[in-house]
Amino acid sequence: CEKGGEWRQALALLAEMGQRRIELDVVSYNAASSACEGAGEWQRALCLMAELLGRGLQPTVITYNAAISACASGGRWPEAAGLVREMEQCRVEASLVTYNAAASAAEKGGWWEWALHALEDLPARRLQPDVITYSAAISALAEAGHWEGALGLLEAMAAGSVEGNVVTHSAVLSALAEGLPGMWESALAFLGEMQDRAVPPNDVTFNAAISAVERSGRWEQAVALLGLMRTLILETGVVSYSAAISAAGKGSSWEAALQLLAEARLAGVLGNVVTYSAMISAAEKGEQWELALAFLSELEESGLRPSLASYNAAVLACSSAAQGEHVLELMDRLAERGLEADIGLQSLFLMECEQQQLCDRELAYLQGLVGGDGPAPDQTAVAVSAAARRLASGRPAAAVHVLGPARETGTWSPAAEVLGRLCGACGAAPKAATAYAAPLPRQLARAPYAKELGMLAHAMATATPGDPASVCHAVDDFSEAVWASQSVWSKVSGCAKAAVLVAAVRRAPPGGGILEIGTYCGYSAVQMAAACPGVQLETLEVDPTHVVIARNIVALAGLSHRVHVWTGHSKHALSRLGVQRENRKAKHFSAVFMDRWGSQYHEDFAVLEKCRLLRPGAVVVADNLLRTGAPLFLWHVAVGEGEYLSKVVKTQELASRAEDWMSVSVVVPT
């Protein structure tokens, strides 16, 4: 039974031996455990060990090896690690098999450090690592994306005269596939070297190579690899075709993706969720929203369970094509299947609600942010956010209506009070307002949104309602007192950065608005609006919770009538903003503040130029240049073709005082 992996029969025989009062010894339990090991029945293997101990028997290294191997097969690293520690405590000397099994469990559990440490520790235990040891460590490094370490171990194998096999080389190739997108050439070169090392690649090897080219969208190479697999009579399965289809999608060739899917079906390869998601994504990147919807519907009807990635790609396809109704419908279908939207999907949905003036639906969705796990905005903060949107769309009476329940239930806030006055609300005084406490306890500082909500509560409690300077001072104070003491990046462009920003936007040419990309909590928006009286400011933020917080900060400062906070990622919202301003015949922007991840600034700037959103003489300020880097953007505005005059300014982060850079660029009038 042990050799055949018939664990049920093995356990039945063990139980029968006990019933017939045949003495059970360690050998009997070891054989049963080994049968469980082969089937990955780690729980039963651990139960057998507990039963063995209960009979007063002492487990041997074979007992432990079987249990650890069963845990490795079941992907149970914590239990495997516990057994290794137990062996040390019981002074049972571990063998090479022990470490190989534990390293395999560590690989599956993502503990590449342990697998590497075990490999390095073997010589001190007078054990010599073999190909299995190296393969487990290399696979662990591959899973973690440490391709340099994987190649280093392959060289160490050669130096130690340990001959690698196809598993070892496939693991190295997987590590190269998980490396930087540009590693595909190295992966293909390594595939060629396997032939020179007399290690014939198998289907796993080729799948890793296809995955490597997929990351860079090199679909032609993916198709060539598929052809080579067929020539070598290797199985081209769903993994191979899914990766190739994904490569075609990333290479912006939805036609090639469609052809690959047809070939897969002709070969009898049935697609899985990954295949469909790759095809939907290819359609999205090819701006084929109808095709994306067709494949999503086919996936839903196939009996497979669509993943979040499937809906994400379909929603992106519809949103990019301005098919707002389909976006809303897809979000309903997502909810019906019990899938929880991530921030990206939430942002797209709320962006569509804002664009289509679906205020009630937006409010209902935002209210879903309240009452979940972890810190979240309260109902009044959500009501203020929704009321601010109604005011921005020219409906002050509707804004007052949304604020009504907070006034009646005693959950009134200073931000609600200021916003109500802006909307012309009057009448009986609200019931006792909610008491806003000082900063959140330190133990919550690392929880999602805890620091932002703590900052909002502090501003509500200490700032003078309707006074922008006082609101900014409250945020500065919270950053210095709480975030700096806990070494947390505040992400607020305060102090020296605020001074650079304010000085720049004040020198912007008159007649245009201000655009901010990356609202965060609204601090910079308040600073710029206060520095430029009468100027309209539009600001974009991808995170719905940050949007709610920012609208409350802006409302508290009394600026909701001039500062409009829009939900949406810049790559989706900027083009919409351009069309919107054209339709309203709105003037172009005189100032832009870019305050998100710097490495993507060049993408945002390309949209600003394409949509002609910048006025001649416009000032463009970019933050986080040192912290996150923005080489492509800086090259464009500082070197370029003389279209911009630019200067990089050395500044400090608020609270931490860490060095950072900002750039100030001026559009040269033609």
Side-chain angles (χ1 to χ4, degrees), residues 12 95 98 102 105 118 121 207 220 270 457 461 480 525 636 653 669:
S95 67
T98 312
D121 195 42
N207 287 342
E220 298 95 336
L270 297 177
E480 296 284 0
H636 184 66
E653 294 283 4

Side-chain angles (χ1 to χ4, degrees), residues 13 26 82 100 150 160 165 212 222 281 303 391 421 516 521 525 566 576 598 665:
L13 287 172
V26 175
N100 286 351
N165 57 20
S281 181
L391 178 62
R421 289 202 303 266
E516 179 182 35
C521 291
W566 296 90
R576 296 283 190 94
S665 304

Side-chain angles (χ1 to χ4, degrees), residues 117-404:
H117 173 72
L119 177 65
E120 295 169 346
D121 195 42
L122 286 180
R125 298 177 181 270
R126 292 178 302 207
L127 296 171
Q128 291 302 315
D130 60 10
V131 65
I132 298 174
T133 325
Y134 276 108
S135 294
I138 289 172
S139 295
L141 288 166
E143 288 291 328
H146 293 294
W147 59 272
E148 303 101 323
L151 284 174
L153 287 183
L154 190 65
E155 293 174 0
M157 286 181 69
S161 300
V162 178
E163 188 175 340
N165 57 20
V166 67
V167 175
T168 317
H169 287 75
S170 296
V172 172
L173 196 51
S174 294
L176 291 171
E178 292 298 321
L180 299 173
M183 294 295 295
W184 66 272
E185 291 176 303
S186 299
L188 293 186
F190 186 81
L191 180 64
E193 290 171 10
M194 287 181 65
Q195 298 284 2
D196 300 335
R197 298 180 186 185
V199 182
N202 60 13
D203 56 328
V204 176
T205 319
F206 271 97
N207 287 342
I210 294 172
S211 294
V213 299
E214 176 263 337
R215 292 196 67 199
S216 296
R218 302 283 175 171
W219 65 270
E220 298 95 336
Q221 283 80 4
V223 170
L225 289 170
L226 279 173
L228 186 54
M229 288 179 73
R230 287 191 286 266
T231 301
L232 296 174
I233 319 178
L234 295 174
E235 182 183 357
T236 51
V238 65
V239 175
S240 315
Y241 277 106
S242 296
I245 289 169
S246 180
K250 290 181 179 177
S252 300
S253 181
W254 65 271
E255 299 97 332
L258 203 58
Q259 178 62 34
L260 285 165
L261 182 63
E263 289 178 13
R265 289 175 171 174
L266 194 62
V269 178
L270 297 177
N272 58 16
V273 174
V274 176
T275 316
Y276 277 103
S277 297
M279 194 62 236
I280 296 168
S281 181
E284 178 262 315
K285 289 180 172 59
E287 300 180 353
Q288 301 295 315
W289 65 271
E290 292 161 305
L291 188 64
L293 287 182
F295 276 111
L296 180 62
S297 296
E298 186 178 320
L299 172 59
E300 290 175 329
E301 294 166 4
S302 68
L304 298 170
R305 180 176 173 81
S307 66
L308 189 61
S310 312
Y311 284 101
N312 211 330
V315 169
L316 271 174
C318 293
S319 179
S320 300
Q323 296 294 321
E325 289 299 324
H326 288 294
V327 170
L328 302 180
E329 178 199 344
L330 287 170
M331 291 298 290
D332 290 338
R333 285 157 64 176
L334 182 89
E336 287 170 4
R337 291 186 172 268
L339 293 173
E340 186 175 345
D342 58 14
I343 286 177
L345 279 176
Q346 292 173 2
S347 177
L348 283 169
F349 171 74
L350 291 170
M351 183 180 77
E352 292 299 339
C353 289
E354 291 170 8
Q355 297 290 330
Q356 298 183 44
Q357 299 294 326
L358 300 175
C359 296
D360 291 339
R361 190 158 185 182
E362 176 191 5
L363 175 58
Y365 197 85
L366 287 174
Q367 286 171 335
L369 296 173
V370 182
D373 296 332
D378 60 27
Q379 291 286 4
T380 301
V382 170
V384 167
S385 175
R389 280 295 311 130
R390 284 159 173 77
L391 178 62
S393 62
R395 298 193 296 155
V400 172
H401 178 74
V402 170
L403 293 173

Side-chain angles (χ1 to χ4, degrees), residues 34-46:
S34 295
C36 293
E37 164 206 337
E41 291 289 330
W42 62 274
Q43 291 169 307
R44 297 182 190 277
L46 294 181

Side-chain angles (χ1 to χ4, degrees), residues 4-27:
E6 298 291 340
W7 62 272
R8 289 187 177 86
Q9 288 86 337
L11 293 181
L13 287 172
L14 195 68
E16 187 177 337
M17 288 175 68
Q19 291 168 0
R20 296 187 179 188
R21 298 188 178 179
I22 300 173
E23 184 178 355
L24 296 173
D25 57 11
V26 175
V27 176

